[in-house]
Amino acid sequence: MSTLQRSAVEPCRSEEITPVRLNAEALDSTAPEYLREFKEDLAADRLVPARLTVEACFDEDCSLSTQEEAKRIREYIRAAAFLGTGTLTVSFEDVADERKVRPALAACAERADREGLTLELDGPIDLES
């Protein structure tokens, strides 16, 4: 943490707020109006969304299908940023063609980074290799 950030945090008082992990399936929508209400409801219950987890499917060997799934993940990146979560976890099992999926997920990771989020992958591939 930089000196500037530390000086902003030190005079703050602690809050009794519980961080929670959200599953994307629990969200009825990614529309800003819905997310605003959802976030207000969490705050009223003294909860703060720390992580959003989305189940993805890359088991088709089809570029269009891969891009549609990446588009869906980007919607949840936007939703996670709106809710103030720090991490979006993309969970997936099978990958039909890693050569199609890896660049799509790398683009999602870049988008998440621009939005101030960490994108974590819970699946058979990672972006490190």
Side-chain angles (χ1 to χ4, degrees):
M1 194 181 294
S2 76
T3 306
L4 179 62
Q5 291 171 333
R6 186 176 309 279
S7 67
V9 173
E10 286 175 355
C12 295
R13 286 188 253 161
S14 297
E15 290 281 336
E16 290 190 27
I17 297 176
T18 304
V20 294
R21 178 184 304 218
L22 302 172
N23 288 321
E25 295 81 28
L27 298 175
D28 292 337
S29 171
T30 59
E33 302 81 26
Y34 171 80
L35 294 173
R36 188 175 297 109
E37 240 179 81
F38 187 83
K39 187 174 180 178
E40 288 171 1
D41 290 345
L42 287 174
D45 291 336
R46 309 214 31 93
L47 302 173
V48 62
R51 177 183 306 264
L52 179 64
T53 301
V54 60
E55 296 285 331
C57 181
F58 296 108
D59 60 357
E60 289 185 47
D61 187 6
C62 171
S63 294
L64 185 58
S65 175
T66 298
Q67 290 308 313
E68 285 297 317
E69 194 65 356
K71 179 180 176 185
R72 191 175 75 84
I73 292 168
R74 286 191 303 273
E75 294 248 341
Y76 285 110
I77 290 169
R78 186 185 54 75
F82 190 94
L83 292 172
T85 65
T87 304
L88 177 76
T89 300
V90 179
S91 182
F92 54 100
E93 303 236 346
D94 298 323
V95 174
D97 187 346
E98 191 174 316
R99 294 171 302 161
K100 293 175 185 167
V101 174
R102 186 178 298 276
L105 288 174
C108 288
E110 287 177 21
R111 171 70 63 89
D113 187 55
R114 284 195 306 269
E115 295 288 340
L117 301 171
T118 299
L119 185 96
E120 289 184 355
L121 301 179
D122 181 16
I125 64 172
D126 61 38
L127 299 176
E128 303 296 317
S129 35

